[in-house]
Amino acid sequence: MIKKPNFQAWLQQKVSDDSEVILAGKLEYLRLYLTDAMREIRNKAGLTQTQLAEKLGVQQAAVSKLESALKEHELESVLHYLHALGADLLVAVKQGDELYQASDNEGSLLLDVPDVVAQKALAANMSLREYVRVAIEKFSSEDNGLRTALVKLLESDDSVAVKVRARLGSRTIQEVAVELEKCLSLSEEDRIFAVKNVLAANMACGESNRGSSDEVDEIELLDLAEELLEKLADI
């Protein structure tokens, strides 16, 4: 497999002021790495060009042409090629900082990744995709760990937990744990009021309405929120 350079760094290199030359370079890059990926997918499927041509109902020469970086490629032909191998083509259009995904595969998203992430992946001797996946798994496990700890606290015999459970209403402990997890991502100034709102169960966690009394004892709620935050700090 061809070792692919940093695409963003490649794009930022000034090779010419002529827009036609710049466009030609982009097309060459696209053809080179698209055809490389197509050949790799076919080889992994254990098919020869002739065998794939039979699946597509075309001549072997047509498959050879599709796999050549020197030829023009119709999007419909590329999609047929990939579909026959159980593969998808993910397409996105970038303008400035905006990225628009045009492909219909909702299970995979194309995202801009800062150069610093690519550098970290290189330092870890990992592909960029592998590095991002590992980072997501680590982040997810940390989130799950926090939520598990929150549920464990709320289910305990701790006096604060008992007071909190008395205010659950129709909500489950798991639902409240999710709301509290969101509250912990807020600034320290807003956190106590957000937790109070969760305990009052009268508004979303991310909202902060410090003037609402709503027939509940605000002082009692704030005291309980402060006690709960002290417990959460130990987590």
Side-chain angles (χ1 to χ4, degrees), residues 123-135:
N125 196 28
M126 301 167 68
S127 69
L128 184 56
R129 183 179 178 84
E130 182 184 11
Y131 184 86
V132 171
R133 280 189 167 182
V134 169

Side-chain angles (χ1 to χ4, degrees), residues 203-233:
M203 62 182 64
C205 171
E207 298 176 1
S208 181
N209 184 354
R210 304 183 185 184
S212 174
S213 57
D214 237 16
E215 298 183 358
V216 294
D217 188 342
E218 289 286 302
I219 297 178
E220 180 182 339
L221 275 174
L222 284 171
D223 286 344
L224 180 55
E226 186 174 1
E227 289 181 290
L228 180 56
L229 280 172
E230 289 177 1
K231 296 291 182 180
L232 298 182

